[in-house]
Amino acid sequence: MVSPGPDNKTEEEWRAVLSPEQFRILRQKGTELRGTGKYDKSFEDGIYSCAGCGTPLYRSTTKFNSGCGWPAFYEGLPGAINRSVNLVGGYYDAGDNVKFGWPMSFTVSLLAWGATEFRKQLQAANQLNHLLEAIRWGTDFILKSHTSPTTLYTQVGDGNADHQCWERPEDMDTARTVYQIDASSPGSEAAADAAAALASASIPFHKVDRNYSSLLLKNSKTDELLWAAAWLFKASKSEKYLTYVDSNQAWSEPVSEFSWDNKYAGAQVILSKVFGMGKQALKKYKADADSFLCALMPQSSSVQIHTTPGGLLYTRESSNLQYVTSASLLLFIYSKTLQRINVTSVQCGTISVSPTQVRTFVKSQVDYILGKNPLNMSYMVGFGRKYPQQLHHRGSSIPSIRMHPNKVGCQEGYSIWYKAKTPNPNTHMGALVGGPDSTDQFTDSRSDHSHLEPITYMNAAFVGCLAALINHSGSQNLKIINMSVPEDSYTL
C-alpha cells in the first residue's frame, strides 16, 4: 500500500512511478477487472491509501466482502471521501443552510396529510396546486436521495460547520458533506420517515398525476415502523401493513406531543379511523389517540400540556410553536375522524369532550398565532399589523443578491448582519417563528433562535390548520390577502 507523494507530475513522470495497471486506472479512467485485484479478498490490517496522491482513504477494519469483485468499505476516513451524487432540491431545515432528511420527510408528510384531509377547502381557496408543488419539491428530493434499494442519503451539509457561519445560500462555501444510511450503516427511523413521506404524498397526487402517485408509493415500501406502516396501509390498503401494526400494538404508547422525532400520536390517529371503520383489533391505537386528545384539552382532568396565561399550548421553551401547530393539525384531523366514525365524545377523566369542543379549542390556537394574544403579535411574518422583524434566518437577514451583489463571507455575515439591531432587509412572508415564552412574552431579537427561527415542519402543519378553518362554522372565511411590505424590502 506504499504510494508516491502528491507531487504535480507530467504523464511521463506518472508512468515512471505507477505500475502499468495503476496508470491505466488512475490516469486513463480505466477499471480493474472484476475479481482480479490483490486486495479484493485481502483483510490484513492497515490503511488503504490512494496509489497516486498518497492520501489515506480507508481503514482495513471497515472493509467487507460485498461480493462485487472489488474492495468494498462501509466508511472512509474522516474527510477523505467526497461523494458525487445529485441532491439538488429539497428544503433547508430552518434558518440555516443544511438539508436534514429526517425532519424534511416529516415536513412533506404534514403537507400531504393536510392536502388529503382538507382537499376541498384548499381547492375552494385556489391553493391546492400550490401545495402540491411544495409537496413535490420535497418528494422529488427524497426520490433522488434513495439511490439504491439499500441506500438513502439523509443529510446535506455539516450542521456544526454551517452554524459557525452566517451566509446567504448564494454565498455558501461550507462543505456540502453528505451522510447516508445503507446496509452496513442502518438508520431505520430515517428510512421509515422517508417511506411515510412518499406514501402520504402518493394520496393527494392520485387524482392529478397517477403515474407520479404510483412512483411515490412504489418507492415508499422500504421500512415498516408504525408511522410508516400506518401511511403505507392508508395509501396502498395492503393487508400486510395492517397485520404489521396489529401485531406491534405493544409499541404504541400514550403521548402528549406530536413532532418530527415523536410520531406515535400521528400513527394512532390514522389507525383510529381504521379501528372505527370496523377493525376492532386496533382498539389500543384508538385508546392512545384519545389519551393524546385528553392530554391537551385544557378542561380535561388528565391534561398534561398546559397553556400560557393567554391560552397557548406550551410544551417546551425551544421553538414551542412547532408543537402547537403539529398538535393542532392532529386534533383537527382527529375531531374530523371522530365525527366520521360516529363518536360523539371522548371521556377525559371526569369530563366528556366533543369533536366540536376540540375544534373550538384548536381554532383558538390558530387565532393566538395570528395575533389574538396578550401582545397582539402575529407570529406569522408579514401577516397583520405587528409581526417579528428580526427573523433568525440567514437569507432573510442579509440583503439579497439583487440589492447587495458582493459576496458576504462567513464571519462578515455574523459581525454585520447577524448582530444588527435593525429589521431584516428581506421579509420572509408567511414564515412562523418559535413564538412567545411561557408567560406570553416575546423579545424580537435575531440571536434568540429558540423564539425567532422558522422551521419547515412548523409551517407545514399550519397549512393544514388554516385549510381546516376554511368555511368553518362560526368563524370568518379565510381569504387570500395581498400583504404589503416596505418598498426597499425583498420578499422571499
Side-chain angles (χ1 to χ4, degrees):
M1 295 180 226
V2 178
S3 58
D7 314 43
N8 292 322
K9 296 180 176 67
T10 66
E11 293 303 293
E12 289 306 313
E13 288 173 327
W14 279 118
R15 285 184 187 276
V17 296
L18 297 175
S19 71
E21 186 175 31
Q22 288 174 336
F23 183 84
R24 181 177 63 84
I25 293 170
L26 292 176
R27 307 303 300 171
Q28 297 179 327
K29 301 180 180 180
T31 302
E32 184 179 67
L33 291 177
R34 182 179 184 273
T36 63
K38 62 182 291 188
Y39 296 118
D40 179 24
K41 293 181 173 60
S42 172
F43 288 90
E44 63 178 294
D45 290 340
I47 300 292
Y48 287 79
S49 302
C50 173
C53 67
T55 300
L57 300 175
Y58 304 99
R59 295 186 188 278
S60 58
T61 53
T62 66
K63 191 172 186 290
F64 68 101
N65 184 9
S66 67
C68 68
W70 293 278
F73 305 84
Y74 63 79
E75 184 178 37
L77 290 170
I81 306 298
N82 287 325
R83 295 180 177 89
S84 179
V85 59
N86 180 8
L87 295 177
V88 173
Y91 293 102
Y92 294 136
D93 177 64
D96 49 28
N97 295 326
V98 182
K99 300 175 188 178
F100 294 105
W102 192 358
M104 191 192 305
S105 293
F106 185 52
T107 295
V108 171
S109 295
L110 292 176
L111 291 173
W113 206 354
T116 297
E117 294 292 336
F118 308 113
R119 188 183 190 91
K120 291 182 179 179
Q121 292 94 323
L122 288 161
Q123 285 178 321
N126 295 318
Q127 294 300 301
L128 180 61
N129 288 338
H130 296 306
L131 180 52
L132 292 177
E133 289 175 3
I135 295 169
R136 190 164 191 154
W137 186 255
T139 52
D140 279 352
F141 178 83
I142 296 172
L143 290 173
K144 287 180 182 179
S145 302
H146 192 202
T147 56
S148 81
T150 59
T151 302
L152 176 71
Y153 285 90
T154 57
Q155 184 173 323
V156 180
D158 183 321
N160 291 326
D162 178 88
H163 293 169
Q164 299 305 310
C165 281
W166 196 260
E167 294 177 303
R168 299 174 295 198
E170 296 91 340
D171 294 328
M172 180 173 45
D173 51 14
T174 50
R176 305 311 287 161
T177 309
V178 295
Y179 300 83
Q180 71 183 66
I181 57 174
D182 51 33
S184 58
S185 302
S188 57
E189 295 89 349
D193 254 301
L198 296 179
S200 61
S202 74
I203 301 174
F205 275 106
H206 185 70
K207 292 184 179 180
V208 296
D209 190 339
R210 292 201 173 189
N211 289 335
Y212 190 64
S213 175
S214 297
L215 176 66
L216 295 176
L217 187 56
K218 178 182 176 181
N219 280 273
S220 70
K221 298 174 182 178
T222 59
D223 200 291
E224 299 178 351
L225 299 180
L226 289 181
W227 172 246
W231 273 113
L232 284 163
F233 175 72
K234 185 176 176 67
S236 70
K237 301 298 186 289
S238 173
E239 288 293 320
K240 71 175 182 179
Y241 299 113
L242 189 61
T243 300
Y244 182 85
V245 297
D246 185 14
S247 61
N248 288 291
Q249 289 193 62
W251 289 0
S252 181
E253 59 185 53
V255 294
S256 58
E257 73 172 65
F258 175 50
S259 62
W260 70 269
D261 59 350
N262 188 338
K263 303 181 184 68
Y264 282 119
Q268 291 156 5
V269 166
I270 293 173
L271 296 170
S272 290
K273 185 175 182 180
V274 183
F275 164 82
M277 302 300 284
K279 300 293 183 180
Q280 297 296 303
L282 302 181
K283 61 182 179 181
K284 187 176 190 311
Y285 293 111
K286 170 64 168 59
D288 288 344
D290 287 350
S291 178
F292 175 78
L293 182 154
C294 294
L296 272 65
M297 294 299 292
Q299 67 268 46
S300 167
S301 60
S302 55
V303 65
Q304 296 180 41
I305 304 300
H306 297 278
T307 60
T308 65
L312 181 71
L313 283 169
Y314 199 82
T315 301
R316 58 179 57 93
E317 182 72 9
S318 182
S319 301
N320 180 61
L321 285 192
Q322 68 171 296
Y323 307 105
V324 178
T325 60
S326 57
S328 296
L329 174 63
L330 205 55
L331 289 177
F332 269 130
I333 293 172
Y334 195 45
S335 66
K336 180 183 174 184
T337 296
L338 292 173
Q339 291 178 319
R340 176 74 181 273
I341 63 177
N342 297 314
V343 174
T344 58
S345 65
V346 172
Q347 194 67 31
C348 294
T350 57
I351 67 161
S352 296
V353 179
S354 70
T356 299
Q357 289 175 303
V358 174
R359 288 181 62 88
T360 299
F361 171 66
V362 182
K363 180 181 179 295
S364 74
Q365 300 303 292
V366 175
D367 290 341
Y368 185 109
I369 291 171
L370 294 180
K372 193 174 181 180
N373 55 61
L375 298 181
N376 295 316
M377 166 74 77
S378 165
Y379 293 104
M380 175 180 279
V381 176
F383 182 85
R385 296 181 178 180
K386 182 181 178 183
Y387 54 82
Q389 302 291 316
Q390 293 193 32
L391 193 66
H392 181 95
H393 185 277
R394 287 157 174 76
S396 174
S397 64
I398 303 175
S400 69
I401 291 289
R402 186 180 69 180
M403 303 298 293
H404 186 88
N406 295 333
K407 177 181 172 64
V408 177
C410 172
Q411 294 307 312
E412 179 187 358
Y414 260 122
S415 61
I416 297 178
W417 302 107
Y418 176 79
K419 296 180 179 179
K421 303 301 181 183
T422 54
N424 284 4
N426 305 312
T427 304
H428 197 333
M429 299 291 287
L432 295 182
V433 298
D437 65 17
S438 60
T439 63
D440 299 301
Q441 298 305 301
F442 178 78
T443 301
D444 193 355
S445 175
R446 192 175 299 107
S447 61
D448 185 359
H449 66 87
S450 292
H451 300 97
L452 267 296
E453 187 170 24
I455 306 173
T456 53
Y457 38 91
M458 185 156 58
N459 260 84
F462 204 55
V463 170
C465 296
L466 294 175
L469 288 171
I470 297 176
N471 295 324
H472 174 50
S473 176
S475 68
Q476 293 182 344
N477 293 343
L478 296 180
K479 299 178 181 179
I480 306 302
I481 303 172
N482 292 319
M483 295 180 282
S484 61
V485 295
E487 290 184 2
D488 60 348
S489 176
Y490 181 60
T491 304
L492 297 174

